[in-house]
Amino acid sequence: MVFENAQKQLEKAKKHVRLSQETEETLQYPKETFNFSIPVRMDNGKLQVFQGFRVRYNDVRGPTKGGIRYHPNVNMDEVKALAFWMTIKCAVIDIPYGGGKGGIIVDPHKLSEAEVEKLSRGWMRGAAHIVGPDRDIPAPDVYTTPQIMAWMMDEYSKIVGKPTPAVITGKPISAGGSEGRSYSTALGGYFATREAVKKIKTGKKVAIQGFGNAGSHMAKFMSEEFTVVAVSDSKGGAYLESGFDYKKLEEVKNTKKRVDAYPGCTKITNEQLLELDADILVLAALENAVTRENAPKIKAKMLVELANGPVTPEADDILHKNHQFLIPDILANAGGVCVSYFEWVQNKEGSHWGEKEVNQKLEEKMVKEFNEVFKIHSDKKIDMRTAAYVLALGRIDRATKAKLSN
Ligand code: NAD
């Protein structure tokens, strides 16, 4: 189903870009899919077997790259779709990677820390012949953390008999991680939004759905130039016409565990947040937040997809018809994989870049690729998502043709 949606987006973009028969053929299927069992001795002494996944979708532009998700709903269809999107995302941001993704069917919140460690090491033992610093490089995704990346890197290093930090990214800084990685998704999204505002005139009022890693950092960066008037988390939303003080908001979230406890705010629902009279709407929570039903009620002139897949294909068409400008996920949240790539480069060259250097390089990438996508959007008069696909597919096509020339 999710994979079908991904293929729909591809079909739409194919009308605007000439692809070789080789590219069309190879993009239809993942290069490699792997489904395996991970036995774990639980704290109660019983053995429990978990299901693990890894998909390498396409590697014409370089080793495959993509996160590992721990979630009860993980399934092969979803992993394949996410690996496909990573192929497109890495090409949009022009880093030398293909796309991959992995996961485990599990709710990690129900496991002890020791069980999560055994499970994570077990995933790496099972997938060690698939991954590798020059083959397939995982990273964190939903409910996987820098600590989990460190355990996985350690397990892989034991298997191959040498420290191999470049096998995985999103590690803690003390274990070979990069400066800036913890907030790079939001910073990249902020750079893209700042560029967009130069082209599309909007006001300064911002609403942000989701206050986790991506949303909370976005609130921080956006508050420097814009007025963040609404935020929300899974417990509800908060509105403040004069704008939130980010430091105070962060403190409220840390202590009260919900954003609507902010003193003096008006409590709103997540639906109300989406439909507010804000200028910019940042989607940083879940998939399918904007649908055919609520899309016509959205007033924001600009939408920023920090989450993966927050707007359904039907909602996409409605927003485009209503002339609302959308920065698509494959561009807006590409800052995360971009700094993951920087982490891998640092690991490969045995260096550690400063935070300023990392952020400057990220800014250069985001500004350049945003403008490339925007140009295609303006020249071809197509929506930004399709334009990002056109840019990515052109790059993938050139790499495919160069490799499969006879
Ligand atoms: P997270 O778990 O840290 O945060 C998710 C937030 O969404 C939480 O604040 C949660 O309370 C909120 N939320 C859940 N249901 C909600 C609802 N119905 N309405 C409003 N808020 C709701 O996750 P994250 O890392 O911030 O990721 C968020 C999205 O961004 C995901 O789609 C993820 O795939 C995407 N993303 C994240 C990164 C990254 O580096 N963190 C990179 C690329 C894409």
Side-chain angles (χ1 to χ4, degrees):
M1 176 65 191
V2 207
F3 187 63
E4 232 174 72
N5 273 354
Q7 292 289 328
K8 265 190 216 162
Q9 293 175 344
L10 174 64
E11 286 306 314
K12 188 173 170 190
K14 271 168 36 182
K15 293 183 194 135
H16 304 279
V17 58
R18 191 187 296 267
L19 293 182
S20 63
Q21 186 261 338
E22 287 87 343
T23 303
E24 289 220 15
E25 197 67 17
T26 44
L27 277 182
Q28 273 190 76
Y29 309 104
K31 183 178 172 85
E32 199 171 3
T33 61
F34 183 47
N35 179 193
F36 57 111
S37 292
I38 311 167
V40 174
R41 180 72 60 195
M42 306 299 277
D43 292 351
N44 63 9
K46 289 195 176 142
L47 192 85
Q48 194 173 329
V49 179
F50 294 86
Q51 286 303 293
F53 300 87
R54 189 71 189 167
V55 170
R56 298 177 66 236
Y57 200 90
N58 181 291
D59 68 350
V60 289
R61 301 186 76 253
T64 43
K65 180 95 189 88
I68 303 168
R69 178 171 291 197
Y70 286 5
H71 199 278
N73 300 341
V74 165
N75 59 73
M76 186 51 97
D77 182 75
E78 182 189 70
V79 180
K80 259 171 32 181
L82 292 167
F84 168 79
W85 278 318
M86 283 306 295
T87 308
I88 302 293
K89 194 182 294 184
C90 292
V92 171
I93 198 70
D94 202 14
I95 52 178
Y97 284 146
K101 205 78 184 189
I104 302 179
I105 304 176
V106 61
D107 179 354
H109 302 119
K110 294 192 176 145
L111 268 55
S112 70
E113 194 185 10
E115 288 167 343
V116 173
E117 178 177 351
K118 283 190 219 168
L119 180 65
S120 305
R121 289 182 182 275
W123 187 95
M124 185 49 98
R125 278 196 302 279
H129 63 293
I130 302 264
V131 304
D134 298 311
R135 193 170 196 277
D136 177 39
I137 306 131
D141 191 67
V142 175
Y143 297 155
T144 46
T145 59
Q147 176 60 71
I148 291 174
M149 300 302 109
W151 287 326
M152 288 187 168
M153 183 264 276
D154 183 56
E155 194 64 27
Y156 185 84
S157 299
K158 282 179 185 159
I159 292 167
V160 297
K162 58 183 175 186
T164 313
V167 71
I168 205 159
T169 60
K171 303 179 292 291
I173 288 179
S174 57
S178 178
E179 301 291 339
R181 176 63 187 91
S182 58
Y183 55 79
S184 54
T185 300
L187 186 60
Y190 162 73
F191 289 140
T193 310
R194 200 193 56 192
E195 289 306 297
V197 169
K198 290 182 193 164
K199 318 261 184 201
I200 310 286
K201 298 220 174 326
T202 64
K204 296 247 169 196
K205 282 191 284 177
V206 178
I208 303 179
Q209 185 195 42
F211 204 76
N213 181 305
S216 67
H217 285 114
M218 188 65 168
K220 180 176 167 196
F221 298 127
M222 293 296 279
S223 333
E224 284 165 23
E225 269 178 58
F226 300 86
T227 311
V228 178
V229 296
V231 289
S232 69
D233 56 28
S234 56
K235 299 188 179 118
Y239 176 77
L240 192 67
E241 197 175 356
S242 56
F244 291 98
D245 174 298
Y246 176 73
K247 280 217 164 81
K248 226 198 277 178
L249 183 59
E250 192 185 26
E251 199 186 304
V252 168
K253 176 73 181 174
N254 286 340
T255 52
K256 306 259 165 69
K257 305 291 171 212
R258 51 195 303 153
V259 287
D260 62 4
Y262 191 95
C265 77
T266 306
K267 288 189 183 189
I268 54 171
T269 63
N270 265 295
E271 270 308 298
Q272 286 171 320
L273 178 133
L274 295 177
E275 295 162 18
L276 271 182
D277 197 9
D279 302 301
I280 302 174
L281 173 63
V282 178
L283 301 164
L286 304 171
E287 299 99 71
N288 303 334
V290 180
T291 60
R292 174 200 329 225
E293 281 74 39
N294 61 7
K297 298 184 205 150
I298 290 177
K299 299 185 193 74
K301 205 167 170 191
M302 184 180 294
L303 287 90
V304 184
E305 291 186 327
L306 270 196
N308 283 312
V311 175
T312 65
E314 297 81 21
D316 235 356
D317 291 340
I318 296 171
L319 296 171
H320 184 56
K321 263 192 213 122
N322 291 341
H323 305 291
Q324 284 158 300
F325 185 84
L326 181 140
I327 312 180
D329 48 7
I330 45 175
L331 174 63
N333 70 31
V337 71
C338 187
V339 174
S340 267
Y341 163 64
F342 296 160
E343 179 176 332
W344 179 77
V345 173
Q346 292 168 72
N347 293 156
K348 287 234 156 208
E349 64 185 28
S351 64
H352 187 77
W353 305 346
E355 189 175 7
K356 207 169 151 196
E357 185 180 353
V358 171
N359 291 347
Q360 260 171 6
K361 285 188 158 83
L362 172 65
E363 183 171 7
E364 275 168 33
K365 273 268 174 221
M366 291 304 303
V367 170
K368 178 173 179 295
E369 302 313 330
F370 174 88
N371 284 291
E372 295 262 355
V373 174
F374 189 86
K375 187 169 183 319
I376 297 172
H377 153 79
S378 313
D379 290 352
K380 292 188 180 279
K381 304 204 180 344
I382 52 179
D383 63 85
M384 283 287 284
R385 190 186 315 281
T386 309
Y389 264 89
V390 167
L391 178 66
L393 290 172
R395 287 173 173 162
I396 293 168
D397 192 48
R398 286 191 288 282
T400 307
K401 278 194 281 200
K403 286 189 172 174
L404 302 177
S405 53
N406 52 26

